[in-house]
Amino acid sequence: MRLAFHQIDAFTQQPFSGNPAVVYRLDTWLSDNLMQQIAAEHNQAETAFVVREGEHWHIRWFTPAAEVPLCGHATLAAAHVLFEVYGEPGERLAFTCKSGALAVSRETDRLVLDFPVARVADVPVSAELERALGVPVVAAQQGNELLAVLESEQAVRACRPDFVALAQLPGLGVIITAPGEQHDFVSRYFAPAIGINEDPVTGSTHCLLVPYWAKRLGRNELKAFQCSARGGELHCRLEGERVKIAGHAILVASGTLHL
């Protein structure tokens, strides 16, 4: 069996920046075990698999270690592949996944993710969280991810966490965030429990970040930057119970997997 794949750098216009994802457009689903093995072989933050089901595309995402319920950058990558490589018509792609209905639209030269707002609750700042991050935490929220608010962009950039300790905390991963110096807010995302010490640019975490910063700053249009080593810029908008996340994507590699 031969399967075509395409590697995309998402949330960037330049190769070797943003967040890489591998995309497979399949005719029918492979076994869960085989998809996990393929993701481990590519060893990227996410490998996305899409299968057409009626008018929608069913999408699933795998890290090298586990399947995840939602992923932004790999959805952006999948939409770029479907539009630009396979020539899908129209300006909007509808997706279904474990987290519900998603969509990606073309707006000028950007792709725009349409994701659900993530449900979170305020939680006390624990000593375990501060020890794992090695920096003071101003406030915290807990949902599928643990959100930690720091004092400044400098604190976010300087954070050198203990990944073993982070993996023991509740949730899929830990987001750190603070007001930005040139952006409305900045963030980083650590998920060692699912095989990703630090993700370069994470669309799905902005389902928590955008509602938090929209409320704190008093406006719904926000410009964000994820200040990982590769880095990436996200243009965000809160619309009721949905978060719109816009960014660019670029094809960097294509190939064939031989099984």
Side-chain angles (χ1 to χ4, degrees):
M1 178 169 56
R2 297 182 179 184
L3 299 173
F5 66 85
H6 306 280
Q7 185 168 321
I8 304 296
D9 284 345
F11 295 114
T12 182
Q13 292 178 284
Q14 302 295 326
F16 317 126
S17 60
N19 201 353
V22 174
V23 178
Y24 283 84
R25 189 194 69 165
L26 304 175
D27 294 326
T28 58
W29 289 111
L30 306 172
S31 71
D32 291 2
N33 182 60
L34 180 54
M35 288 189 287
Q36 185 63 72
Q37 288 179 312
I38 291 170
E41 181 72 15
H42 285 295
N43 200 33
Q44 298 297 331
E46 303 286 346
T47 297
F49 300 88
V50 294
V51 172
R52 186 188 289 279
E53 296 181 351
E55 297 300 314
H56 297 79
W57 291 91
H58 192 153
I59 185 166
R60 296 174 69 181
W61 311 274
F62 291 79
T63 76
E67 185 174 7
V68 295
L70 187 65
C71 178
H73 86 277
T75 305
L76 197 79
H80 183 83
V81 167
L82 292 173
F83 277 135
E84 303 300 332
V85 177
Y86 293 105
E88 280 296 307
E91 299 301 314
R92 183 178 184 275
L93 295 170
F95 292 92
T96 58
C97 70
K98 290 186 175 182
S99 296
L102 312 174
V104 182
S105 302
R106 288 194 277 203
E107 292 184 9
T108 61
D109 64 336
R110 294 178 188 152
L111 293 173
V112 183
L113 301 169
D114 182 346
F115 274 19
V117 166
R119 298 297 176 193
V120 297
D122 292 337
V123 294
V125 175
S126 68
E128 291 80 9
L129 174 60
E130 290 194 314
R131 280 198 296 267
L133 291 174
V135 292
V137 176
V138 175
Q141 293 184 334
Q142 180 71 63
N144 286 336
E145 314 281 2
L146 179 56
L147 176 65
V149 183
L150 307 188
E151 292 182 351
S152 66
E153 178 172 329
Q154 182 179 2
V156 170
R157 290 181 178 273
C159 181
R160 298 294 182 266
D162 179 339
F163 293 118
V164 174
L166 282 185
Q168 307 307 311
L169 297 175
L172 293 173
V174 177
I175 308 161
I176 60 173
T177 187
E181 297 172 2
Q182 298 182 25
H183 298 80
D184 293 307
F185 66 90
V186 298
S187 68
R188 292 171 68 190
Y189 178 54
F190 312 109
I194 56 172
I196 306 167
N197 279 349
E198 180 168 3
D199 196 39
V201 193
T202 317
S204 61
T205 56
H206 289 73
C207 296
L208 289 75
L209 289 161
V210 171
Y212 174 85
W213 287 107
K215 181 178 180 180
R216 178 164 164 176
L217 299 177
R219 50 194 169 84
N220 292 341
E221 296 270 354
L222 299 165
K223 191 174 180 181
F225 187 75
Q226 192 158 332
C227 46
S228 64
R230 290 173 66 103
E233 190 171 69
L234 306 93
H235 301 264
C236 307
R237 184 168 70 249
L238 181 64
E239 295 185 359
E241 294 299 304
R242 307 295 293 184
V243 177
K244 302 293 182 71
I245 306 163
H248 296 92
I250 182 170
L251 175 68
V252 294
S254 295
T256 303
L257 180 72
H258 298 263
L259 296 175

